[in-house]
Amino acid sequence: MTTHTPTRLASMMEGIDRFKERVAPLVDSAEALRDQLPWRQAAVRHAQASALPPAPICADAHEFLARLRADVLAHPAVNHPLLARIAHVPFVREDYRIFGLQHYALVGCFTTYLELLLLAAPDSDAKSWIAKVLVDEYGEGSDGKDHAELYREFLHSTGVTHDEELTVPLHAAVTGFIAEHLRICREEPFLVGLGALGPGHEWSIPKMFEPIIRGLRRARFTEPEIQYFTLHIEQDVDHGSWLEEALVGYAQSEAAQIEIHRGAMLSLAARVRFWSGVQDKIVRWRQPRNVHLRAPSRREGHNQANELTLAQWRIQMQSLTVGRGLYARTP
């Protein structure tokens, strides 16, 4: 009798279904603990306070998505002043060391967001689209290296020592970005999560990474050293197209379009805060004696009292995925 080895995608989807059944009783016990954590409460406050623009409601799903893409590419998160500075102001490797130590915290989390969204997927079609992106994110197209491994190679080229990325304090907007996306993928409706990860992430990253790559090349990083960034531009164009195909089938009603748009805008609002936090860190490194540094539009400025290291953050993040077995696997 001939046997067939199941594909990686099929095995993963089957495992997800078994996992949901096994851990369902454990999830409720984690909710109360999670809601007491300060970063969790901050994520909820940001979501409630976000003044989101109205969704571009259209009778045709393709037209809706075209308008949404235009809104995403014009958003302040995708055109942040930090990205403009990187593109046009000569940064040195030490600047990118500070940048990379903050940005690294996000690396590896995207697969966790996708896994959480996969658990909430309403049908097999949705699971298939999300799982297709997941397979790529796990290391396809990069000689078997996952994105965290590629990013650590970049960090080492900036002068970061072994495991230093685990001990550097992270700006509260960095950990806040992760907390907000885990909240979206766990608690918001499925289409809000799909809007956050599709339009909010995959459509925006190629445009955001273009000025970063330009600056890295100006600073004389080699192509192998910046492969994490160049690979993302290539992959995320494909991922954005795959997810857009999935979105077309869901964006048929006004209610669905509102949810997709909400997810994209919540993600981009968190991204604005993230880039501003990274900028705070770079400016603080360049001007350590100036204790008054803050942007006039952000009254809270740079509050180091709320900062955690990546090692500390990962311990706290267990509460958000207790009973789901997801975050502990991220690098």
Side-chain angles (χ1 to χ4, degrees), residues 12-22 119 127:
M12 181 171 60
M13 293 176 65
E14 182 181 351
I16 286 288
D17 290 335
R18 290 199 306 270
F19 184 70
K20 287 173 67 176
E21 295 175 0
R22 188 171 67 251
L119 291 171
K127 290 181 181 180

Side-chain angles (χ1 to χ4, degrees), residues 55-218:
I57 304 301
C58 302
D60 179 74
H62 291 280
E63 182 181 354
F64 161 73
L65 293 174
R67 292 186 182 183
L68 178 57
R69 183 183 286 271
D71 288 347
V72 167
L73 297 181
H75 195 280
V78 184
N79 302 277
H80 193 278
L82 174 62
L83 301 177
R85 289 182 65 194
I86 289 174
H88 300 291
V89 177
F91 275 31
V92 296
R93 286 187 177 238
E94 288 78 6
D95 291 308
Y96 288 109
R97 176 178 174 274
I98 304 302
F99 169 95
L101 285 169
Q102 298 296 309
H103 189 226
Y104 176 75
L106 273 58
V107 177
C109 289
F110 190 66
T111 53
T112 303
Y113 308 151
L114 284 170
E115 289 169 347
L116 286 169
L117 199 61
L118 187 59
L119 291 171
D123 51 53
S124 59
D125 285 343
K127 290 181 181 180
S128 295
W129 286 113
I130 296 169
K132 185 178 180 181
V133 176
L134 262 173
V135 169
D136 242 23
E137 293 286 340
Y138 286 143
E140 296 293 326
S142 53
D143 298 325
K145 298 178 181 178
D146 64 22
H147 291 168
E149 185 177 356
L150 284 177
Y151 206 99
R152 285 194 295 272
E153 291 179 359
F154 163 68
L155 287 179
H156 294 159
S157 73
T158 69
V160 171
T161 58
H162 180 66
D163 285 345
E164 185 181 356
E165 67 274 12
L166 300 177
T167 60
V168 170
L170 300 172
H171 196 286
V174 175
T175 51
F177 180 92
I178 302 169
E180 170 67 344
H181 284 82
L182 291 171
R183 183 197 69 78
I184 289 171
C185 293
R186 279 200 53 159
E187 301 175 22
E188 295 279 357
F190 171 74
L191 289 182
V192 176
L194 195 58
L197 302 191
H201 271 71
E202 303 287 22
W203 290 0
S204 65
I205 285 176
K207 184 175 180 182
M208 290 189 294
F209 276 18
E210 286 174 2
I212 294 173
I213 291 171
R214 197 177 314 148
L216 289 168
R217 286 171 174 160
R218 181 188 292 111

Side-chain angles (χ1 to χ4, degrees), residues 235-289:
Q235 282 191 338
D236 288 355
V237 169
D238 289 337
H239 295 175
S241 297
W242 297 346
L243 290 172
E244 184 169 355
E245 291 181 46
L247 285 166
V248 167
Y250 290 108
Q252 301 296 325
S253 69
E254 179 176 338
Q257 292 179 11
I258 289 173
E259 289 187 351
I260 293 167
H261 178 270
R262 171 177 166 79
M265 294 301 113
L266 284 173
S267 176
L268 292 170
R271 184 79 67 176
V272 170
R273 296 191 293 271
F274 166 78
W275 286 132
S276 295
V278 175
Q279 181 171 259
D280 283 344
K281 282 290 187 179
I282 294 173
V283 174
R284 177 67 58 181
W285 172 78
R286 286 184 166 188
Q287 304 179 43
R289 295 184 181 182

